[in-house]
Amino acid sequence: MKNVKQITSDMYKENLFLVPTMGSLHRGHFSLIEEAKKSGLKTIVSIFVNPKQFNDTNDYQKYPRDIQKDSMNLEKLNVEYLFTPDENYIYDDSFLDLLSSGEIGEQYEGKSRPGHFDGVLTVVNRLFELIKPKKVIFGKKDAQQLFLIKDYIGRTNKDIDLLEGEIIRDKSGLALSSRNLLLSAKGKETASGLKKQLETLKEIFLETGLVNTSIERTLLRNKDGLLEIDYLEILDKDTFSAISDKTKNFIIIIAGYVEGIRLIDNIDFRIEG
Ligand code: AMP
């Protein structure tokens, strides 16, 4: 594996499959890398903790980083390139404004983390410009991010094939996340409640068909208070907005805090007309 800090023009001769990450890699990331390897293209994994997508400096500073361990794991997975750019290479002198993630970028996760998705789109676009990948993969774990990036690639006519990776969870149902490293054992147990809330809401919604009632009833079941829920929503997966009579693909999204750590999760399902 080559560890590069900058992209060189000879790399453009290769057909690259980009797996963008912020490091502290876990099985969720590895599953994306395995998908990339299946394509037969050369895999480039980027590790860059993007300051522009953090609206809270403390959160940025305490975000887990372990480049040595990551590098060893990537070596084992036969990744061709590890890209670990410095901030001034990503955001060089010519860097001007953040890209806008629009109205949907200001909802849900974007409402609680103002500017987050503008920072995400900006860094993703910069990685595309620098690496010129043929393919890229993002995890369904970050559903709103995936929606916005898909939309961005579509409306800017980028010739990049976007793949979606399934959510990888531990035995308790907790979606793997680098931030889980910041939780105690008890915290992880509490955090598995996120998935339970999603399942409960799905069940009640399928029974009643009523969005608000189902959400209220679900929230009432989160009694112990250790899981502090920020939002819980049922949306149309294709528009990432309120459901309508036409909705077939549903997504339930949740965000919450456990031991002061922000966690997100989602499940999706389809109801035929
Ligand atoms: P991050 O390092 O958190 O920025 O994530 C990098 C990529 O890994 C994103 O596309 C995430 O959606 C994806 N990812 C993170 N956690 C998981 C997971 N548990 N299962 C699948 N993909 C994940």
Side-chain angles (χ1 to χ4, degrees), residues 43-245:
T43 308
I44 177 165
V45 175
S46 62
I47 297 186
F48 179 61
V49 184
N50 172 32
K52 299 209 186 289
Q53 71 187 67
F54 286 81
N55 58 313
D56 173 350
T57 341
N58 185 37
D59 187 27
Y60 172 66
Q61 276 159 359
K62 73 178 184 199
Y63 194 86
R65 294 160 170 90
D66 192 344
I67 200 77
Q68 267 188 344
K69 190 170 165 204
D70 288 346
S71 174
M72 272 166 47
N73 281 323
L74 294 175
E75 194 82 66
K76 279 190 224 149
L77 289 167
N78 294 318
V79 162
E80 278 83 7
Y81 293 102
L82 165 59
F83 177 44
T84 52
D86 291 329
E87 190 181 337
N88 60 12
Y89 180 59
I90 295 289
Y91 302 117
D92 63 8
D93 294 342
S94 65
F95 178 76
L96 293 169
D97 288 322
L98 290 175
L99 291 177
S100 166
S101 56
E103 227 172 276
I104 293 178
E106 288 168 15
Q107 308 290 317
Y108 320 113
E109 201 55 16
K111 194 166 187 177
S112 299
R113 304 179 68 188
H116 170 65
F117 289 117
D118 296 351
V120 168
L121 282 193
T122 303
V123 79
V124 166
N125 180 56
R126 198 63 194 119
L127 291 171
F128 288 172
E129 280 177 1
L130 287 166
I131 300 170
K132 309 190 194 308
K134 292 279 175 292
K135 292 180 190 258
V136 68
I137 186 163
F138 291 92
K140 289 188 189 176
K141 154 93 186 339
D142 299 275
Q144 194 175 358
Q145 165 175 289
L146 177 61
F147 178 89
L148 289 167
I149 294 172
K150 221 193 284 185
D151 175 67
Y152 179 69
I153 290 180
R155 71 188 148 86
T156 53
N157 292 315
K158 292 212 183 315
D159 188 18
I160 300 175
D161 193 10
L162 186 152
L163 279 76
E164 305 181 10
E166 294 304 322
I167 304 178
I168 307 298
R169 304 176 178 280
D170 72 11
K171 278 191 206 126
S172 71
L174 173 62
L176 298 191
S177 162
S178 307
R179 290 175 193 271
N180 295 354
L181 288 168
L182 303 170
L183 297 174
S184 69
K186 175 87 186 111
K188 280 194 192 139
E189 210 181 300
T190 306
S192 65
L194 288 169
K195 175 70 171 8
K196 294 190 183 98
Q197 290 273 300
L198 292 170
E199 295 294 352
T200 305
L201 177 51
K202 177 179 168 187
E203 201 182 301
I204 303 178
F205 177 68
L206 290 179
E207 230 173 78
T208 64
L210 303 169
V211 174
N212 291 338
T213 312
S214 307
I215 295 174
E216 276 160 30
R217 278 200 215 162
T218 306
L219 290 174
L220 279 174
R221 296 201 193 170
N222 177 41
K223 283 191 226 76
D224 65 14
L226 293 173
L227 174 63
E228 188 194 319
I229 294 173
D230 179 24
Y231 60 75
L232 177 64
E233 304 275 357
I234 306 178
L235 303 175
D236 183 317
K237 192 176 171 218
D238 301 321
T239 59
F240 227 84
S241 306
I243 64 168
S244 73
D245 295 348

